[in-house]
Amino acid sequence: MTFFLGLGIAGIALLALSLIFDGILEGLLGGVLDGLFDGLLSLPVIAGFLSMLGFGGAIMLGTTGVGTVAATVTGVAAGLVAAWVTWKFSRSLMRDQTTATPRGDDLVGTSGSVVTPIPADGYGEVLLRLAGQTVKFSAKSPEPVERGAEIWVEAALSTTSVQVRPVER
């Protein structure tokens, strides 16, 4: 029983270490086995297998009193299930896609409002909506624009500044 509990605890310790060192086994064996196992040799998968082998074997041995061989077979079966679930879960997390990161060019053609007056050929500040969020940008305009005026973005000058013109109605 002590051996099985030791395996289970070692698996949990390996799982904790996998937060820091994940990818090392795949990196070391990557040149030889590149893509062959597709994540099956990752530390979380091995840790899940090892933990369930140990704890499953200890539970089987302690509750039923069967021999070591039967407890080992049960632990291996539980370990394989845990490894498969861990592998599938980690693959689904790796495939999780997010929307594209907004770029400055996405601002061109949007409207906003002036929060700090813009002097002629000088900089002020405007509020614009980027990816659903209100963001403050430095703004330059060829003509003066008063605070509160509605503006249109003509160009993205940098990641934090835009060229604007006042909206005429």
Side-chain angles (χ1 to χ4, degrees):
M1 168 108 51
T2 305
F3 176 73
F4 285 120
L5 290 175
L7 281 177
I9 292 169
I12 289 176
L14 185 62
L15 185 60
L17 289 173
S18 74
L19 294 173
I20 300 168
F21 298 115
D22 189 31
I24 287 182
L25 288 177
E26 292 167 331
L28 291 175
L29 301 175
V32 178
L33 306 172
D34 194 24
L36 185 62
F37 292 107
D38 194 29
L40 282 174
L41 290 179
S42 67
L43 287 178
V45 171
I46 293 171
F49 173 77
L50 194 60
S51 291
M52 287 308 292
L53 167 65
F55 291 134
I59 290 170
M60 185 65 147
L61 192 60
T63 58
T64 63
V66 296
T68 308
V69 174
T72 302
V73 169
T74 302
V76 166
L80 288 173
V81 169
W84 181 80
V85 167
T86 305
W87 177 62
K88 291 300 255 181
F89 184 65
S90 64
R91 283 188 52 162
S92 70
L93 288 177
M94 293 302 227
R95 282 194 302 246
D96 188 24
Q97 299 294 320
T98 60
T99 58
T101 304
R103 299 181 318 259
D105 292 339
D106 295 336
L107 293 170
V108 175
T110 61
S111 65
S113 61
V114 177
V115 291
T116 303
I118 306 170
D121 291 324
Y123 281 93
E125 293 178 322
V126 295
L127 286 178
L128 302 172
R129 295 202 47 91
L130 179 63
Q133 300 292 320
T134 302
V135 183
K136 187 187 293 187
F137 284 87
S138 295
K140 188 174 187 177
S141 177
E143 57 187 84
V145 184
E146 295 300 316
R147 182 176 188 267
E150 186 177 359
I151 51 89
W152 286 99
V153 177
E154 292 182 325
L157 302 175
S158 71
T159 57
T160 59
S161 64
V162 291
Q163 173 80 33
V164 299
R165 68 173 171 83
V167 174
E168 298 172 9
R169 291 191 191 247

